[in-house]
Amino acid sequence: MSEHNYSRIEEVASDEALQKKDDKKTSIVFLSIALALFLACVGFLVWNVVRMRHVDSDYVKIMGKVVDVQSGSSSSGHSKTTYFYVIFYTFDGQEYTFIDREGTTDFYEVYDNIGKYTEILVDPLNPDHAERAISTGFISTFCACCFAFFCLMYAAGMNIFLASKGSSFIKRFLFIWGAEILLGAAIVLLFWTGMPRSGFGEVFARNSGAIGVTVVCGLMLLATVVDGIITLKLRPYTSKHRVYRISKRRKRR
């Protein structure tokens, strides 16, 4: 083999080594961001679950009546007007009212509920503190958003990492899609531990975040199916085609 060929091989090997180093750095960046998002998700989730458990275990369920509606700006910052229920209730012979902190932007739904009764939770040690027994709202939704972005960053970082190590569908399923689906299931079950006196169905009725995490897991499952189809159907054909072309070249030589 000529010196020119040797130098060419060394140049290609050097380029591959640099590419692997760059890929490793990129995967570390993505995985670091994913870890930060996952820690944020777990932190807020644990705080939310502790709060939910305290409310579900220690508060008393009674019926309150929607007597009025107040409008205000949304905490999420969008331009739509947010409406908050004003709820009247009695506890130990005393009358109380509170403004539900979980607002909604549906004008017709809000005013249609005026005069109707709704289930509320009251702190027996501090009866003027109450809340609706529906959704824990913003924090649970924030957890779901963190989990969704974690899945994106983690999938990107691990795909790059596995590609440099010789990726396969089994590896991607075990270390990316399957791992994310299991984490999502664990998060939904953790939501459930925050409601010891409630059924599993209420996890979704009272936590918009649990619904969001389930949707993300569904997308991960879809990604698994698509990845499996691409790997098992398209890649084998491509690899055989390449081998066939290489073998033809060798025969010509």
Side-chain angles (χ1 to χ4, degrees):
M1 190 178 289
S2 65
E3 292 184 7
H4 175 72
N5 289 336
Y6 276 121
S7 62
R8 180 60 182 167
I9 292 170
E10 289 176 356
E11 185 180 341
V12 170
S14 178
D15 289 342
E16 288 180 353
L18 289 172
Q19 184 63 45
K20 285 184 178 180
K21 187 177 287 188
D22 289 340
D23 288 345
K24 186 177 180 180
K25 289 180 180 178
T26 304
S27 66
I28 290 173
V29 170
F30 276 109
L31 292 174
S32 298
I33 296 172
L35 178 61
L37 287 167
F38 183 72
L39 291 176
C41 174
V42 171
F44 280 100
L45 178 63
V46 169
W47 179 85
N48 193 46
V49 166
V50 170
R51 174 188 168 278
M52 286 166 55
R53 193 174 182 85
H54 168 61
V55 170
D56 199 67
S57 300
D58 300 335
Y59 282 33
V60 177
K61 280 185 181 181
I62 63 171
M63 298 302 292
K65 185 178 182 180
V66 179
V67 294
D68 199 2
V69 173
Q70 289 189 2
S71 61
S73 58
S74 171
S75 59
S76 60
H78 55 67
S79 58
K80 290 184 178 179
T81 302
T82 305
Y83 302 95
F84 304 90
Y85 292 111
V86 179
I87 299 175
F88 167 84
Y89 64 99
T90 58
F91 189 83
D92 285 344
Q94 297 290 322
E95 297 181 347
Y96 302 93
T97 58
F98 75 98
I99 300 173
D100 176 34
R101 62 181 178 178
E102 297 294 336
T104 178
T105 58
D106 192 331
F107 173 85
Y108 297 102
E109 177 189 345
V110 166
Y111 281 93
D112 186 56
N113 284 329
I114 293 179
K116 293 183 179 180
Y117 286 87
T118 183
E119 194 174 56
I120 63 173
L121 295 164
V122 181
D123 185 353
L125 301 178
N126 187 18
D128 62 344
H129 184 236
E131 59 184 75
R132 291 180 74 202
I134 48 164
S135 171
T136 52
F138 174 74
I139 297 299
S140 67
T141 303
F142 181 77
C143 291
C145 291
C146 285
F147 180 72
F149 284 109
F150 153 76
C151 287
L152 286 174
M153 295 295 103
Y154 179 77
M158 281 301 293
N159 266 309
I160 295 171
F161 177 77
L162 290 176
S164 63
K165 300 293 182 180
S167 182
S168 67
F169 175 72
I170 297 298
K171 288 181 180 179
R172 288 191 299 279
F173 176 75
L174 291 175
F175 297 107
I176 303 177
W177 318 122
E180 291 179 345
I181 291 170
L182 285 175
L183 285 174
I187 288 173
V188 173
L189 290 174
L190 189 58
F191 270 121
W192 189 27
T193 64
M195 296 183 295
R197 297 191 303 175
S198 304
F200 186 69
E202 287 195 48
V203 172
F204 304 98
R206 290 172 55 187
N207 292 280
S208 53
I211 298 172
V213 171
T214 304
V215 170
V216 173
C217 289
L219 293 174
M220 293 303 106
L221 185 60
L222 179 62
T224 304
V225 173
V226 173
D227 190 14
I229 292 172
I230 292 173
T231 303
L232 300 175
K233 297 296 182 182
L234 301 182
R235 288 183 181 175
Y237 173 78
T238 304
S239 61
K240 287 178 183 177
H241 185 60
R242 286 176 180 169
V243 170
Y244 175 71
R245 289 175 62 185
I246 292 169
S247 62
K248 280 187 71 175
R249 287 176 186 171
R250 286 178 177 172
K251 285 180 180 179
R252 287 176 184 174
R253 289 178 184 175

